[in-house]
Amino acid sequence: MTTPDADGLLAEQLLRLTRRVHRIQKRHLEQRDLGITPAQSRLLRTLAHWGSPPRMADLAERLEVVPRAVTTLVDGLEASGKVRRVPDPANRRVIRIELTDDGRGALRELRAARRSAAEEILAPLAEDERAALGGLLDTLIDGEPVRRC
C-alpha cells in the first residue's frame, strides 16, 4: 500500500508532467505559426469528431466549459476563417458550427504539431515503457481500480 506522502508525490509528478506537456505542445504550435491558441486547437479537434455540425451548446458541453467561452473561441476561429456559423436546416433559429477548408488544413498542421510534441515528450521511453505508460494512464483516466490477484 502506498503512503499518503507517496501519493502526494505522484500527484505532484502528474501535475508537473501535465504542465510540461502543455508547454511543449504550445511551443510546437507556435513554431508552426498557425495563430491558434491551445483552447482553439481543442475546439477544432472536437469539431472534427462530430458527424454533423454541432450547436454551440453541444460544444460547450463536450468541452466542459460555459457557453460564453465557446462563443469567444468560435468568434476568433471564425474571424480567421477556420470555422463558420451556419443555420440549422431543420430550425433556422439554431446556429451550428462547421469547419471550413482552412480549418481542416489547420487541423492537419495541429495534428503534426501534436505528433512532434509527443515524440519529444516520449523520446526517453522505450516502446515497452510507452505501452506500460499508456496502460497506466488509461487506468487513471477511466478511474477503474487495478485488480490484483
Side-chain angles (χ1 to χ4, degrees):
M1 183 172 211
T2 335
T3 66
D5 290 337
D7 287 346
L9 177 60
L10 284 172
E12 180 61 28
Q13 287 174 304
L14 286 170
L15 288 171
R16 289 175 57 209
L17 176 60
T18 300
R19 285 188 217 113
R20 181 170 184 255
V21 167
H22 283 274
R23 274 193 317 271
I24 290 171
Q25 285 184 341
K26 185 177 178 187
R27 179 171 37 85
H28 281 262
L29 275 176
E30 288 169 353
Q31 287 171 350
R32 292 179 183 271
D33 198 28
L34 294 173
I36 295 174
T37 67
Q40 289 173 330
S41 166
R42 186 171 172 234
L43 188 137
L44 287 174
R45 289 191 320 272
T46 301
L47 264 176
H49 288 98
W50 235 285
S52 61
R55 298 173 308 138
M56 299 269 259
D58 299 328
L59 283 169
E61 184 178 329
R62 177 79 54 93
L63 294 169
E64 298 177 347
V65 299
V66 296
R68 178 69 188 121
V70 171
T71 300
T72 301
L73 293 172
V74 168
D75 287 347
L77 289 168
E78 188 176 38
S80 68
K82 307 285 187 288
V83 302
R84 69 178 146 250
R85 289 173 166 93
V86 294
D88 184 306
N91 182 350
R92 295 190 63 80
R93 292 176 295 164
V94 174
I95 299 297
R96 297 195 174 266
I97 308 304
E98 70 180 9
L99 284 170
T100 62
D101 288 340
D102 267 1
R104 282 186 275 287
L107 266 173
R108 284 189 292 277
E109 288 292 319
L110 290 168
R111 287 183 184 121
R114 286 174 62 91
R115 266 193 310 279
S116 60
E119 289 169 7
E120 180 180 336
I121 292 162
L122 298 172
L125 300 179
E127 286 302 316
D128 60 329
E129 292 171 320
R130 290 178 189 204
L133 176 61
L136 292 169
L137 290 173
D138 282 342
T139 300
L140 292 174
I141 291 166
D142 294 339
E144 296 293 321
V146 177
R147 297 193 174 109
R148 298 173 197 236
C149 298

